[in-house]
Amino acid sequence: MVEMITDFDTIAAIATAPGEGAIAIVRLSGEDAINEVNSLFKGKDLTKVASHTLNYGHIYDPSNSEEIDEVMVSVMRAPKTYTREDIVEINCHGGVLATNRILQLVLSHGARLAEPGEFTKRAFLNGRIDLSQAEAVNDIIRAKTDKSIEVALNQLNGSLATKIRDLREQIVDVLAQVEVNIDYPEYDDFEKVTRKLLLTESNKIKQKIEDILSTAKQGKILREGLTTAIVGRPNVGKSSILNSLIQEDKAIVTNIAGTTRDVVEEYINIAGIPIKLVDTAGIRDTDNEIEQLGVEKSRKALQKADLVLLVLNSSEEMTSEDKELLELTNKTNRIIILNKSDLPNKLDKNSIKSNNNDIICTSAKTKEGIETIKQKITDIVFGGVQSSQQNILVTNARHISLLNRAKQSLNDVLDGIEKEMPVDLIQIDMKRAWDLLGEITGDTVQDELLNELFSRFCLGK
């Protein structure tokens, strides 16, 4: 269990992105934050201004009375702050030199340079947010689409934490009833009654965990993106499909087979899903050494892809290379695209051994079928997840692992009941599930894990 601490030293860091900009912010948090900035500030007495006010003035170097910058200083008093400590934010002119001079000045007057994620770590240690909410802060910073931000914001608001705490409370209620039955047995068959209680409640809790885990695949995609490889033999229109999806002439398109010699990558947003599109070189046997390298890269991209868009030319009969690619992608998550539908059709659909729902006719020239591809990708990602669940997705690999381990502990409970093991031993597995769920919110997390998690944050957050 993490020990809550409030007597931290004062930390400081630049809270805005490096480089030139209209403003930059140097943030301080800690008991002496206001006094330290006040000793460098010419304007109002910051120790006497009201909380959550913005104050105009100048930052000076007391050692030589040199003016460093004209600033606006925000003063926010504990406990109604991000860290639940006094926070001061110096809003200075954007730019590397001015910002760093102010940072170095506050560091030389008592503050310590903050570690990555230390402001958010203090918010957690001071009880303002739980660990899942702290991790959601990082997810918001790194979100690639509006849907990713929406899911992260829901987690920041405590949607996942509420579900986890409800599960832990349910486990505590079960353990309490078991303890009462053991200590004060009212029936001769109290063990039978207790086993029945454990069996019923364990199944209920396990089902709720499975419901949360059912969103893990979608959550991982929203957090990390969906790598989608566009494959096919040369000159079937792969680059044209890429350009149509991103609505930009990113890839070179010609009638010459083998134009694309290297892998072309582009990111797009489809219904809030971050998609990394990978346009590959045409896969075929070739004597050209450079094209061979491109084909090899294409095969590697195919192996790493989460989704495959296999493009065939509907205006030509099926070739041996098409058949090879159909076989190669048979066990992948794929969509088959019959391109060039604006030309007379010569490809027999029946020769494609696949579900017709996975086949889309397109024309990169007329844009026919492009929106259908996007809708199909959306259906694949969110298939099986109800719309009510789409904003409460489990996105974090650590959370997914802990949920799976908690589920296994409940399976051990059920296994123990089936084998008629002593109730006090079965309780141990139930308690383990409670502990594992607590690691998600930080109620049972260890200091070493905290240091690892917050080290992944950017400096100043």
Side-chain angles (χ1 to χ4, degrees), residues 335-354:
I335 300 172
I336 297 174
I337 298 172
L338 304 185
N339 194 33
K340 303 189 181 183
S341 60
D342 53 299
L343 300 176
N345 181 61
K346 294 184 180 179
L347 193 150
D348 182 10
K349 261 191 180 184
N350 296 324
S351 64
I352 304 172
K353 297 178 182 178
S354 181

Side-chain angles (χ1 to χ4, degrees), residues 95-140:
V96 175
L97 182 59
T99 311
N100 276 293
R101 287 185 72 185
I102 292 176
L103 176 62
Q104 292 303 320
L105 195 60
V106 298
L107 293 178
S108 66
H109 282 76
R112 169 177 64 78
L113 184 64
E115 298 172 358
E118 191 168 0
F119 291 94
T120 304
K121 184 178 181 179
R122 291 190 177 197
F124 165 69
L125 292 174
N126 288 328
R128 184 183 171 274
I129 56 177
D130 65 43
L131 194 55
S132 67
Q133 290 172 300
E135 290 171 291
V137 172
N138 215 21
D139 288 345
I140 291 172

Side-chain angles (χ1 to χ4, degrees), residues 356-404:
N356 284 334
N357 292 331
D358 298 329
I359 301 175
I360 298 175
C361 294
T362 66
S363 168
K365 182 177 181 180
T366 65
K367 310 304 180 187
E368 175 196 347
I370 300 302
E371 290 303 316
T372 307
I373 294 174
K374 294 180 180 180
Q375 184 58 52
K376 182 64 178 177
I377 292 174
T378 304
D379 293 343
I380 288 173
V381 172
F382 289 117
V385 177
Q386 299 176 5
S387 57
S388 60
Q389 290 179 287
Q390 288 185 15
N391 291 334
I392 312 177
L393 303 176
V394 55
T395 62
N396 189 299
R398 187 181 74 89
H399 300 170
I400 294 168
S401 173
L402 289 167
L403 285 164
N404 276 314

Side-chain angles (χ1 to χ4, degrees), residues 50-157:
S51 181
H52 293 77
T53 58
L54 197 61
N55 305 276
Y56 170 78
H58 295 80
I59 293 291
Y60 280 82
D61 184 345
S63 65
N64 56 18
S65 299
E66 179 188 0
E67 179 183 328
I68 304 300
D69 199 5
E70 182 182 33
V71 298
M72 299 290 287
V73 176
S74 303
V75 174
M76 294 164 277
R77 300 182 187 278
K80 294 184 178 181
T81 68
Y82 183 67
T83 61
R84 282 193 173 169
E85 302 170 339
D86 288 345
I87 286 182
V88 178
E89 291 185 345
I90 304 170
N91 298 260
C92 60
H93 288 96
V96 175
L97 182 59
T99 311
N100 276 293
R101 287 185 72 185
I102 292 176
L103 176 62
Q104 292 303 320
L105 195 60
V106 298
L107 293 178
S108 66
H109 282 76
R112 169 177 64 78
L113 184 64
E115 298 172 358
E118 191 168 0
F119 291 94
T120 304
K121 184 178 181 179
R122 291 190 177 197
F124 165 69
L125 292 174
N126 288 328
R128 184 183 171 274
I129 56 177
D130 65 43
L131 194 55
S132 67
Q133 290 172 300
E135 290 171 291
V137 172
N138 215 21
D139 288 345
I140 291 172
I141 293 171
R142 298 181 178 182
K144 296 179 178 68
T145 67
D146 52 352
K147 186 69 176 176
S148 304
I149 289 179
E150 188 177 353
V151 171
L153 280 172
N154 274 316
Q155 186 167 316
L156 180 61
N157 291 332

Side-chain angles (χ1 to χ4, degrees), residues 134-348:
E135 290 171 291
V137 172
N138 215 21
D139 288 345
I140 291 172
I141 293 171
R142 298 181 178 182
K144 296 179 178 68
T145 67
D146 52 352
K147 186 69 176 176
S148 304
I149 289 179
E150 188 177 353
V151 171
L153 280 172
N154 274 316
Q155 186 167 316
L156 180 61
N157 291 332
S159 58
L160 177 62
T162 299
K163 284 177 173 284
I164 297 303
R165 288 202 170 97
D166 286 346
L167 288 171
R168 296 188 84 221
E169 187 64 32
Q170 195 171 342
I171 292 174
V172 166
D173 289 343
V174 174
L175 291 173
Q177 291 181 60
V178 170
E179 286 291 343
V180 170
N181 287 353
I182 292 174
D183 294 340
Y184 304 99
E186 297 182 10
Y187 313 101
D188 293 335
D189 61 346
F190 81 94
E191 281 216 13
K192 182 178 179 181
V193 172
T194 304
R195 290 177 192 280
K196 185 177 180 181
L197 169 69
L198 284 166
L199 178 65
T200 302
E201 294 303 317
S202 294
N203 276 316
K204 287 180 182 178
I205 297 166
K206 178 185 170 185
Q207 183 58 55
K208 289 180 180 179
I209 290 176
E210 287 176 344
D211 289 343
I212 298 173
L213 282 170
S214 69
T215 69
K217 178 182 176 183
Q218 291 77 13
K220 184 175 182 291
I221 289 171
L222 284 181
R223 194 171 195 256
E224 300 176 6
L226 184 76
T227 301
T228 304
I230 307 176
V231 301
R233 61 182 171 85
N235 209 30
V236 294
K238 298 184 299 301
S239 296
S240 297
I241 293 290
L242 172 76
N243 291 340
S244 296
L245 286 169
I246 67 175
Q247 298 179 340
E248 180 185 343
D249 291 336
K250 177 77 174 182
I252 299 173
V253 178
T254 74
N255 292 323
I256 303 171
T259 298
T260 302
R261 296 292 182 92
D262 203 351
V263 171
V264 178
E265 296 182 356
E266 185 66 26
Y267 286 88
I268 61 170
N269 177 350
I270 296 178
I273 306 164
I275 308 287
K276 182 172 80 170
L277 282 176
V278 182
D279 179 24
T280 64
I283 298 178
R284 65 171 178 176
D285 292 329
T286 176
D287 294 328
N288 186 295
E289 187 175 347
I290 296 177
E291 190 176 354
Q292 283 177 355
L293 292 173
V295 171
E296 183 59 30
K297 282 189 176 182
S298 297
R299 291 183 181 276
K300 289 180 179 178
L302 180 59
Q303 293 171 359
K304 295 178 181 179
D306 302 309
L307 175 66
V308 174
L309 303 184
L310 174 58
V311 184
L312 305 177
N313 187 347
S314 65
S315 68
E316 297 177 356
E317 294 182 357
M318 182 83 68
T319 68
S320 59
E321 290 168 336
D322 290 330
K323 292 177 182 178
E324 182 183 348
L325 285 169
L326 281 165
E327 182 63 28
L328 189 63
T329 61
N330 187 42
K331 295 183 180 179
T332 64
N333 194 21
R334 75 179 179 187
I335 300 172
I336 297 174
I337 298 172
L338 304 185
N339 194 33
K340 303 189 181 183
S341 60
D342 53 299
L343 300 176
N345 181 61
K346 294 184 180 179
L347 193 150
D348 182 10

